[in-house]
Amino acid sequence: MAPKKNKTAKKSKGDINEMTIMVEDSPVNKINGLNTLLEGGNGFNCISTEVTDKVYAPNLLEGLSNMRQESFLCDLTVATKSKSFDVHRVVMASCSEYIRNILKKDPTLQKIDLNDLSPVGLATAITYAYSGKLTLSLYGIGSTIAAAMLLQIGTLVKMCSDFLMQELSVENCMYVANIADAYDLKETKKAAQKFMRENFIEFSEMEQFLKLTYEQISDFLSDDSLSLPSELTAFQIAMKWLDFDEKRLKYAADLLTHIRFGTISAQELVNHVQSVPRMMQDPECHRLLVDAMNYHLLPYQQNILQSRRTKVRGGLKVILTVGGRPALTEKSLSKDVLYRDTDNLWNKLTELPAKSFNQCVAVLDGFLYVAGGEDQNDARNQAKHAVSNFCRYDPRFNTWIHLTNMSQRRTHFSINTFNGLLFAVGGRNADGVQASLECYVPSSNQWQMKAPMDVPRCCHASSVIDGKILVSGGYINNAYSRAVCSYDPSTDTWQDKSSLSTPRGWHCAATVADRAYVIGGSQLGGRGERVDVLAVESYNPHSGQWS
């Protein structure tokens, strides 16, 4: 017999389906298979990273803008008195806080009337809402700002504000200032006014300058930071504005009170101010001129005559060097007066009347005072060359004047200002170390002797604190000292105070807030050599202690 053939078993329909599922290569199975590899550990970490499609947001905005232009799915109408616009409420509500608040109250609202806006302003705001971009110009920016402010679109207001500040020029600065004032754009108004102050001469030559109101030009001329080459220029600009319209002449006296005639030299007052008819014909204007002339005729009275009209505009605080010895190796003395400008460059001013070394300087009522010191560089006998010279520098005119000399020659002393007076304390001269104190009264140009210290001292330092002059350290009885004393100008008396923790001389003293500080100086080392003192000490007038 022939062998029987093996018949393949007939598979059920269910079996076929099961097999199909097992061999199916679906995307889900691929993902699951990859995840199995990760879970099995393959030597790398799996982390999550946020990625961004940079063109998605612009494309979305472009799509929404196209839909609005096609009026596709628009569900809100915003309208001015003369024109209406179909928009998407979700877009406008997301951009405008004003529209969002209205729709919160009534989400079914179909139309919002904005009758206070111009069609151009509303159209510009809608364009911004759908694109975040605008083409701005000074011509129509007012309507754009009005729309942005009513719709409460803060970013659009800022964009307009930044544009105005960016476009500032001499030709349009007044227009920008007026726009900023009308819409209460404080930052823009501040920037426009600053621009006009810094470019005031160029601005004064523009037609817009002559259209300033009295209040506006008055504000400019009363400003300390107004940028001008001289106060005479300010006077000439004021007269230009006054002469433009006869009706303005009633403001002459009031406007000219903002001119600082005291900072105009006497020669310029005669040549350029007195020659203006109004300054002689108008009694109030003439009084301003007379006051300025008297100020110049009475130099010793100027301290008590100081006022806003004698103060320069835009003054800078600078560091000055006055006289001294140019270098350690040089024996010759200098008359140079130098100041460091904002570029850290040193510039020369008018020289001292005489060479000096180890002099004291002080600032009072806007003047620089230089007192005493030595007129020769003699290291072996410095006290022998002490002088009593006293002079004053006026930074407004870059000039010096001689004042009454001190009653005693002094070097290695200290000088302080208090209550409009100057006090010269101690020091030494050919007669030895001094205990004396003298006080300069600017209004009389005289020195007055005051109660002396209990002990002569030199090479000390002093500062004013709590209404008293605190004198610290120095050289007493041929030795560096820790001793401290205090002078009370109101009673003309001295009082001993707590001593320094370290003897020192040739040091500096300064008052900051409610503390007096002593810094640096020298003392004697173990072998009698001169060594630096590095410690800084602070005095508390309330506890009377140093720390």
Side-chain angles (χ1 to χ4, degrees):
M1 286 180 65
K4 295 181 178 180
K5 293 181 180 179
N6 291 329
K7 294 183 178 180
T8 303
K10 188 177 181 181
K11 293 182 173 64
S12 68
K13 195 173 182 180
D15 291 338
I16 293 173
N17 288 341
E18 183 179 355
M19 183 177 291
T20 301
I21 292 172
M22 289 176 63
V23 300
E24 183 182 4
D25 193 13
S26 68
V28 174
N29 281 340
K30 288 181 179 180
I31 293 297
N32 290 337
L34 291 174
N35 287 342
T36 302
L37 290 175
L38 286 174
E39 291 167 0
N42 285 277
F44 62 90
N45 294 324
C46 180
I47 58 174
S48 299
T49 302
E50 182 181 275
V51 294
T52 303
D53 184 349
K54 295 182 179 179
V55 299
Y56 177 78
N59 288 345
L60 177 63
L61 287 174
E62 184 179 357
L64 289 168
S65 182
N66 291 336
M67 290 169 63
R68 184 183 71 83
Q69 291 172 13
E70 296 168 3
S71 295
F72 180 57
L73 296 181
C74 290
D75 51 6
L76 180 67
T77 299
V78 289
T80 65
K81 286 182 179 179
S82 58
K83 190 170 184 179
S84 61
F85 302 85
D86 292 331
V87 295
H88 300 92
R89 66 179 61 214
V90 67
V91 174
M92 296 306 297
S94 67
C95 181
S96 164
E97 186 176 347
Y98 178 79
I99 290 179
R100 183 163 63 252
N101 290 335
I102 290 177
L103 293 177
K104 278 183 179 180
K105 296 176 182 178
D106 185 0
T108 64
L109 199 64
Q110 297 298 309
K111 183 179 181 183
I112 298 177
D113 290 317
L114 302 168
N115 294 331
D116 291 335
L117 298 184
S118 70
V120 173
L122 181 55
T124 304
I126 292 172
T127 299
Y128 173 79
Y130 276 85
S131 67
K133 295 184 291 185
L134 282 180
T135 300
L136 294 174
S137 72
L138 290 175
Y139 176 74
I141 197 167
S143 61
T144 302
I145 296 172
M149 297 192 79
L150 177 65
L151 295 173
Q152 298 175 33
I153 308 176
T155 51
L156 179 53
V157 173
K158 186 178 186 307
M159 181 181 285
C160 294
S161 177
D162 292 344
F163 170 77
L164 287 171
M165 290 187 283
Q166 177 185 317
E167 293 296 305
L168 273 171
S169 68
V170 174
E171 292 78 11
N172 66 33
C173 55
M174 196 66 229
Y175 173 75
V176 171
N178 290 336
I179 285 281
D181 189 46
Y183 294 104
D184 197 28
L185 301 176
K186 293 182 173 61
E187 187 178 351
T188 306
K189 182 179 179 180
K190 184 177 178 182
Q193 290 177 332
K194 181 175 183 289
F195 181 90
M196 286 187 280
R197 288 195 302 270
E198 293 175 350
N199 301 273
F200 196 67
I201 293 180
E202 294 85 351
F203 172 59
S204 69
E205 295 170 356
M206 306 302 295
E207 183 181 350
Q208 296 94 320
F209 166 77
L210 295 173
K211 296 178 182 178
L212 290 176
T213 65
Y214 166 72
E215 290 75 19
Q216 287 173 326
I217 191 171
S218 182
D219 285 344
F220 278 122
L221 293 178
S222 63
D223 196 322
D224 281 342
S225 60
L226 192 64
S227 181
L228 294 169
S230 71
E231 196 63 20
L232 180 60
T233 304
F235 169 72
Q236 293 167 339
I237 288 174
M239 292 307 303
K240 177 182 178 180
W241 184 88
L242 288 168
D243 291 339
F244 180 73
D245 186 345
E246 288 185 0
K247 295 178 182 178
R248 294 177 177 178
L249 296 179
K250 62 184 179 181
Y251 298 122
D254 289 336
L255 185 63
L256 294 178
T257 59
H258 300 305
I259 303 301
R260 300 166 187 211
F261 289 105
T263 66
I264 301 175
S265 70
Q267 183 175 351
E268 288 181 325
L269 286 173
V270 172
N271 293 340
H272 303 291
V273 178
Q274 185 174 276
S275 59
V276 175
R278 178 150 298 278
M279 298 304 296
M280 302 301 290
Q281 296 166 1
D282 186 309
E284 290 301 309
C285 294
H286 185 63
R287 182 182 59 81
L288 295 173
L289 176 61
V290 171
D291 287 348
M293 294 300 292
N294 286 339
Y295 180 79
H296 288 293
L297 290 171
L298 302 169
Y300 307 127
Q301 300 289 320
Q302 287 180 354
N303 293 68
I304 60 175
L305 294 175
Q306 298 289 62
S307 69
R308 184 179 179 82
R309 291 200 294 273
T310 63
K311 180 183 177 182
V312 294
R313 299 177 191 269
L316 298 176
K317 290 185 177 181
V318 297
I319 296 175
L320 283 177
T321 65
V322 181
R325 187 170 60 181
L328 289 173
T329 56
E330 291 189 30
K331 290 198 66 176
S332 62
L333 302 182
S334 173
K335 295 167 61 176
D336 286 345
V337 179
L338 307 172
Y339 77 93
R340 190 169 67 183
D341 61 22
T342 53
D343 295 323
N344 285 328
L345 299 175
W346 290 94
N347 302 269
K348 281 190 176 185
L349 299 171
T350 302
E351 291 183 338
L352 281 164
K355 293 180 179 180
S356 65
F357 180 48
N358 282 333
Q359 69 276 7
C360 283
V361 298
V363 174
L364 177 65
D365 297 326
F367 299 112
L368 174 72
Y369 291 86
V370 179
E374 304 148 36
D375 60 3
Q376 291 186 41
N377 182 12
D378 184 357
R380 293 172 298 179
N381 194 351
Q382 293 176 313
K384 175 183 176 183
H385 302 289
V387 295
S388 59
N389 296 348
F390 190 53
C391 55
R392 187 188 80 185
Y393 174 74
D394 189 335
R396 299 166 303 179
F397 305 109
N398 193 25
T399 56
W400 291 90
I401 62 171
H402 286 282
L403 301 173
T404 302
N405 285 349
M406 292 185 291
S407 302
Q408 292 188 318
R409 300 170 185 264
R410 299 178 191 270
T411 186
H412 306 152
F413 66 112
S414 68
I415 197 165
N416 297 100
T417 63
F418 176 72
N419 201 25
L421 306 172
L422 288 93
F423 295 85
V425 184
R428 59 182 173 180
N429 55 32
D431 297 328
V433 180
Q434 301 295 307
S436 62
L437 166 69
E438 53 185 307
C439 168
Y440 177 73
V441 183
S443 60
S444 63
N445 188 30
Q446 295 296 321
W447 289 89
Q448 300 174 356
M449 297 303 298
K450 297 294 182 180
M453 294 181 286
D454 292 339
V455 180
R457 75 169 81 198
C458 64
C459 312
H460 55 277
S462 59
S463 62
V464 175
I465 187 166
D466 197 29
K468 300 175 181 61
I469 300 175
L470 190 71
V471 181
S472 60
Y475 210 61
I476 301 176
N477 295 325
N478 299 315
Y480 290 106
S481 174
R482 297 168 53 237
V484 177
C485 58
S486 174
Y487 174 73
D488 186 343
S490 65
T491 60
D492 191 27
T493 57
W494 289 91
Q495 184 179 7
D496 289 335
K497 296 294 181 180
S498 298
S499 297
L500 297 168
S501 62
T502 304
R504 68 176 82 204
W506 308 99
H507 55 293
C508 294
T511 297
V512 179
D514 61 346
R515 295 289 187 274
Y517 295 86
V518 294
I519 306 165
S522 304
Q523 60 177 242
L524 293 180
R527 293 174 293 180
E529 76 281 15
R530 184 170 162 179
V531 296
D532 294 332
V533 178
L534 302 180
V536 176
E537 297 188 52
S538 168
Y539 178 75
N540 183 340
H542 307 296
S543 65
Q545 299 298 316
W546 292 90
S547 60

